[in-house]
Amino acid sequence: MTDIVISGSGLYVPPNVVTNEELVSAYNTYVDAFNTEHQREIESGEIEALPQSSAEFIEKASGIRARYVLYKDGIVDPKVMRPMFPKRGEEQAPEMVEMAVHAAKQALEAANKTVEDVDLVIVACSNMQRSYPALAVELQKELGAGGYAYDMNVACSSATFGISNAIASIQSGMASVALVVNPEFASPQVNYKNRDSHFIFGDVCTATILEKKETCTSEHAFKVIASKLKTSFSNNIRCDYSYTDHCHAELPDDNPFFKQQGRKVFKELLPIVVDVITSQLKELEWSVESVRRMWLHQANINMNLFAAKKILGRDATDDEAPIILDEFANTASAGSIIAYHRTHQDLMAGDKAILCSFGAGYSVGCIALEKC
Ligand SMILES: CC(C)(COP(=O)(O)OP(=O)(O)OC[C@H]1O[C@@H](n2cnc3c(N)ncnc32)[C@H](O)[C@@H]1OP(=O)(O)O)[C@@H](O)C(=O)NCCC(=O)NCCS
């Protein structure tokens, strides 16, 4: 089989930081106003008082300290509690395509490739700003790439599934250089009035270039050794927003938002993740000691520590399983790619590594890599 490499990566970071403290301050002000307004119903037992959030809880329970967002003002305004931004018309590329252009250009530069080389563009992410035409086709136009382009969504595993699709397309001869982009514009899916989830997501965009090893001139390329994908249906992480919504008489208040049963996700998803990674290592006859680095999905630090410990049989160091979610929060499919992007250059030729995402579906994507 033809050897395929990841020859470049890119990262677009939005300009605005929202710290836990800013988020909690807005949330608690909203809660105080709500409780004052509904004091009588609360006292009579008709409704329950809303409890306050806490920055300490957020950091302890998730490892998140801050997140980047495209539009900050509305999020931290207790009277708004959502990102507010003008709707773009047909003449302007939507935010996701705009982010994707930045990340794609960086990835091309890192791979020593030009846009003329690209003949496959995949936009793989958790939310699409529109149903069609595919964002990827608009990105293809904005970049001036040839070939074909499409969107795909496997929630938090979109990036690794997208990379696997790119690998298969190059292997089959359908494409020669693929650009996989993960514009995660996650802040609009967050219910900032929900204490359990108001802190979870941030916005970001990552990109990777895949090509045959024989065409690669990049300084920091990783050969794809194997790719393993797994899905298993669960209702525990959902977003129910749909184009059919306007056909229904009534919709639940939380309809447009991300929602999850966090504890159940922990309990059910982690064994699948550990099984996918350990069985992949076994199939490849790689000992756990031989894996130099694991770029894991970045949703929750406790999940990463647990998974790494189960796999290694001991605690992982930050060098072995780098964490970026303290700075970025959960960035859905982009998380493991940010970790890769930030920490792949120090590996030596022959070093083995794992790129693994996990999330809604449930879905797990695991790619075994070796530094060229
Ligand atoms: C969301 C998550 C951080 C919550 O952490 P947790 O340890 O499970 O916390 P719980 O939801 O059990 O809540 C623990 C307590 O803190 C409280 N709490 C919840 N949110 C709070 C907040 N923002 N501030 C203060 N307290 C809070 C809860 O009410 C609960 O109180 P109780 O014990 O009195 O009932 C965690 O479950 C998680 O990250 N799960 C998986 C996430 C994931 O990977 N999702 C995939 C998406 S891609």
Side-chain angles (χ1 to χ4, degrees):
M1 268 222 267
T2 322
D3 284 342
I4 311 289
V5 295
I6 298 179
S7 55
S9 63
L11 170 65
Y12 170 77
V13 180
N16 307 299
V17 178
V18 180
T19 63
N20 287 348
E21 287 72 19
E22 288 176 292
L23 209 54
V24 166
S25 166
Y27 177 85
N28 287 348
T29 307
Y30 154 76
V31 159
D32 289 345
F34 178 93
N35 290 344
T36 305
E37 191 187 332
H38 296 91
Q39 196 176 351
R40 208 150 5 107
E41 295 103 302
I42 292 166
E43 279 169 5
S44 70
E46 274 169 70
I47 58 172
E48 279 188 29
L50 294 179
Q52 297 227 324
S53 182
S54 117
E56 295 73 40
F57 168 86
I58 294 170
E59 187 169 345
K60 189 161 172 282
S62 69
I64 297 165
R65 290 190 188 152
R67 69 285 296 140
Y68 295 96
V69 294
L70 284 177
Y71 298 106
K72 173 171 176 174
D73 293 353
I75 293 173
V76 293
D77 182 340
K79 293 199 169 72
V80 180
M81 303 291 275
R82 63 197 155 113
M84 287 279 277
F85 51 96
K87 177 142 178 68
R88 295 183 178 183
E90 286 179 14
E91 71 295 340
Q92 196 182 6
E95 283 80 358
M96 287 175 63
V97 172
E98 202 171 81
M99 290 202 285
V101 168
H102 290 290
K105 285 185 176 167
Q106 268 187 40
L108 283 168
E109 195 181 328
N112 246 336
K113 287 277 170 294
T114 68
V115 77
E116 287 77 33
D117 298 314
V118 174
D119 53 4
L120 168 58
V121 178
I122 301 175
V123 167
C125 56
S126 308
N127 291 288
M128 301 294 167
Q129 266 181 287
R130 64 169 183 250
S131 300
Y132 50 82
L135 296 170
V137 180
E138 190 169 1
L139 175 62
Q140 178 192 29
K141 183 213 71 172
E142 291 287 319
L143 291 170
Y148 65 105
Y150 62 87
D151 293 347
M152 56 174 280
N153 179 354
V154 199
C156 288
S157 294
S158 298
T160 49
F161 277 57
I163 287 172
S164 300
N165 269 10
I167 294 164
S169 303
I170 300 170
Q171 295 274 20
S172 74
M174 284 177 72
S176 53
V177 175
L179 164 67
V180 182
V181 193
N182 322 106
E184 292 290 4
F185 186 16
S187 54
Q189 74 164 354
V190 175
N191 183 355
Y192 289 98
K193 294 180 179 173
N194 181 301
R195 187 178 73 139
D196 291 349
S197 61
H198 73 121
F199 54 87
I200 291 186
F201 287 100
D203 303 330
V204 83
C205 181
T206 49
T208 42
I209 300 288
L210 288 108
E211 60 180 306
K212 290 183 191 136
K213 190 167 180 246
E214 67 206 45
T215 63
C216 173
T217 58
S218 160
E219 205 184 324
H220 298 289
F222 282 80
K223 186 171 126 183
V224 175
I225 305 298
S227 174
K228 198 175 181 70
L229 309 178
K230 171 82 186 163
T231 51
S232 173
F233 185 71
S234 167
N235 282 317
N236 290 332
I237 317 171
R238 288 188 72 105
C239 177
D240 288 311
Y241 181 73
S242 163
Y243 77 98
T244 58
D245 283 353
H246 71 104
C247 308
H248 305 300
E250 278 180 25
L251 286 173
D253 288 345
D254 64 356
N255 190 65
F257 301 120
F258 160 88
K259 43 203 168 247
Q260 72 165 349
Q261 304 290 326
R263 287 274 153 155
K264 286 189 183 161
V265 173
F266 251 99
K267 224 172 122 207
E268 296 174 6
L269 183 54
L270 278 172
I272 307 174
V273 173
V274 172
D275 181 60
V276 168
I277 297 178
T278 48
S279 60
Q280 183 171 54
L281 296 183
K282 210 166 159 192
E283 281 156 30
L284 293 172
E285 298 182 355
W286 285 9
S287 67
V288 284
E289 296 78 31
S290 72
V291 178
R292 173 73 183 80
R293 190 155 291 159
M294 291 189 285
W295 295 292
L296 299 177
H297 182 54
Q298 305 277 325
N300 178 299
I301 194 165
N302 299 319
M303 282 182 108
N304 288 32
L305 296 177
F306 181 94
K309 190 171 184 172
K310 276 273 172 202
I311 293 156
L312 297 175
R314 59 171 171 79
D315 290 330
T317 64
D318 195 48
D319 184 66
E320 289 170 317
I323 297 290
I324 56 87
L325 63 85
D326 52 340
E327 177 185 346
F328 286 88
N330 184 342
T331 48
S333 75
S336 56
I337 311 293
I338 303 174
Y340 170 86
H341 177 77
R342 286 265 176 101
T343 66
H344 71 277
Q345 295 197 352
D346 61 323
L347 266 58
M348 311 293 280
D351 277 349
K352 295 176 168 55
I354 292 285
L355 176 70
C356 182
S357 67
F358 37 90
Y362 298 125
S363 58
V364 181
C366 189
I367 300 174
L369 298 165
E370 192 176 294
K371 182 86 192 271
C372 296

